[in-house]
Amino acid sequence: GLDLTQFEVGDLIGEGAFGQVYVASHKRSKRVKVALKCMVKSQQDRYLDVDGHSTPVLAEVAMMLRLMNAPRCPNIIRLHNWLEVEDNFVLILEYAESYQTLLQYIKDTVDIEENQARQLMRQLIRAIMFCTERGVFHGDIHTANILVTLPRLELKLIDFGCAQPITQKPFNKSDYRGAGHGMPPEALRCRVFHANPAYVWTIGIMLYEIMHGRLAFNNRQSIMFGAIQIHPRLSTACVDLISQCLIRNPAKRLQLHQVEEHCWFNPTTPNPV
Ligand code: ADP
Ligand code: MG
Ligand code: MG
């Protein structure tokens, strides 16, 4: 069986709201590096059945397992295994070596160029589309849950701690457990929301933040009513994409399958005359 003694635990590499993440190496298998995400079990933890089995596991594990069957998406961090040690859960994750958070990249880089933003957004959208195909709503996409490499700008989505299965039924506002500034306006206004339009809202929020170095909306009031201040240096295509993703009425918002076809992603295509 698998246990923690098989790992040599190294430095603390990250700390989120619920877990500490350590780099570690597996003693036997060629000392492969992994990331150990350690969490203390709590009353609020939710458990979901693993598809095809009846054993309930931590929702974070169940949701990640849906994404691990081949073909996998290179833009989603891999879950190798997990352990329960007394009162703790330990997720054994692929270690994103030489990656940094998108948060740090945005802090360090003044005026990120649209070409760079486009590379990042293509990969984020690929990860999101893959999640929808496997019935997973991530529910907590923000700049500390996205890792990137420099200078190649490869991207990996992490932290499925707020993820939920997508069903026919809409989500309730209370199902949204991610960071408050990522909440889509329909969740605030109607108290229910669907995964795909919520993902499109997130795409708009992330593109805005990459291009401006700050959040589009800081609080619930501005999510519902605030005007977005778009920087004049942005191309018209970029402004259009942000605006269409951040339409408050989800029925009028750009649809998920339309996002990749937006002209901002096809900059070499000449405009129709
Ligand atoms: P939490 O659920 O507590 O927010 P995360 O899964 O987001 O925990 O991890 C916290 C931080 O640890 C991340 O923001 C990131 O900096 C780092 N981290 C998490 N997983 C990895 C990984 N697989 N490889 C490298 N760094 C990671
Ligand atoms: Mg996190
Ligand atoms: Mg989390």
Side-chain angles (χ1 to χ4, degrees):
L2 188 72
D3 66 76
L4 272 184
T5 64
Q6 296 170 21
F7 295 93
E8 197 170 294
V9 181
D11 293 340
L12 181 73
I13 51 174
E15 219 163 350
F18 303 102
Q20 284 89 38
V21 182
Y22 295 90
V23 66
S25 57
H26 193 236
K27 287 174 186 165
R28 271 182 314 191
S29 68
K30 297 178 241 136
R31 311 194 70 82
V32 171
K33 282 186 186 169
V34 294
L36 301 178
K37 180 173 177 177
C38 309
M39 296 165 281
V40 179
K41 287 183 194 176
S42 82
Q43 292 284 303
Q44 291 96 291
D45 284 327
R46 288 148 14 105
Y47 296 81
L48 294 172
D49 286 354
V50 181
D51 297 333
H53 305 268
S54 57
T55 354
V57 294
L58 187 69
E60 183 166 357
V61 168
M63 291 295 91
M64 289 195 88
L65 285 176
R66 288 191 179 193
L67 307 170
M68 294 302 126
N69 296 326
R72 288 190 305 106
C73 176
N75 304 114
I76 294 175
I77 206 79
R78 188 168 178 176
L79 175 71
H80 292 304
N81 218 324
W82 70 94
L83 290 167
E84 288 186 51
V85 187
E86 289 160 23
D87 290 337
N88 300 280
F89 286 112
V90 181
L91 269 52
I92 301 164
L93 300 159
E94 162 196 3
Y95 174 46
E97 191 162 14
S98 68
Y99 281 68
Q100 60 177 166
T101 62
L102 180 59
L103 180 71
Q104 193 62 46
Y105 174 59
I106 290 173
K107 268 189 201 158
D108 293 344
T109 317
V110 183
D111 290 348
I112 293 173
E113 286 173 25
E114 288 190 25
N115 283 335
Q116 267 72 64
R118 191 179 290 113
Q119 279 186 58
L120 293 171
M121 293 306 297
R122 278 209 183 101
Q123 297 173 82
L124 178 61
I125 291 163
R126 204 179 300 149
I128 286 174
M129 301 285 278
F130 187 86
C131 287
T132 62
E133 284 158 20
R134 302 287 176 96
V136 174
F137 180 62
H138 183 286
D140 196 21
I141 295 179
H142 58 74
T143 54
N145 287 339
I146 293 171
L147 303 179
V148 298
T149 57
L150 286 179
R152 298 183 51 160
L153 295 181
E154 289 159 337
L155 175 148
K156 286 192 194 285
L157 181 60
I158 65 165
D159 193 359
F160 288 77
C162 297
Q164 305 206 56
I166 299 172
T167 65
Q168 293 296 317
K169 279 194 338 189
F171 293 116
N172 290 310
K173 182 181 169 214
S174 59
D175 294 329
Y176 188 93
R177 298 174 312 126
H181 58 75
M183 177 110 55
E186 60 270 28
L188 294 167
R189 197 178 51 238
C190 316
R191 300 180 187 285
V192 296
F193 65 98
H194 288 273
N196 283 17
Y199 267 138
V200 174
W201 178 265
T202 300
I203 289 166
I205 291 287
M206 295 312 304
L207 177 55
Y208 183 95
E209 191 171 347
I210 291 169
M211 294 313 302
H212 295 81
R214 59 179 159 76
L215 296 170
F217 307 112
N218 290 308
N219 52 49
R220 291 175 173 218
Q221 187 73 11
S222 70
I223 289 171
M224 284 200 287
F225 308 110
I228 35 171
Q229 308 288 334
I230 293 187
H231 197 281
R233 82 183 160 95
L234 271 55
S235 69
T236 41
C238 190
V239 174
D240 187 76
L241 178 55
I242 293 174
S243 312
Q244 294 220 50
C245 290
L246 297 182
I247 291 174
R248 290 196 169 85
N249 180 347
K252 295 191 175 155
R253 194 175 301 154
L254 202 63
Q255 291 183 36
L256 186 56
H257 69 269
Q258 297 174 319
V259 175
E260 279 183 312
E261 282 147 37
H262 189 276
C263 63
W264 187 68
F265 287 108
N266 304 289
T268 55
T269 312
N271 289 326
V273 185

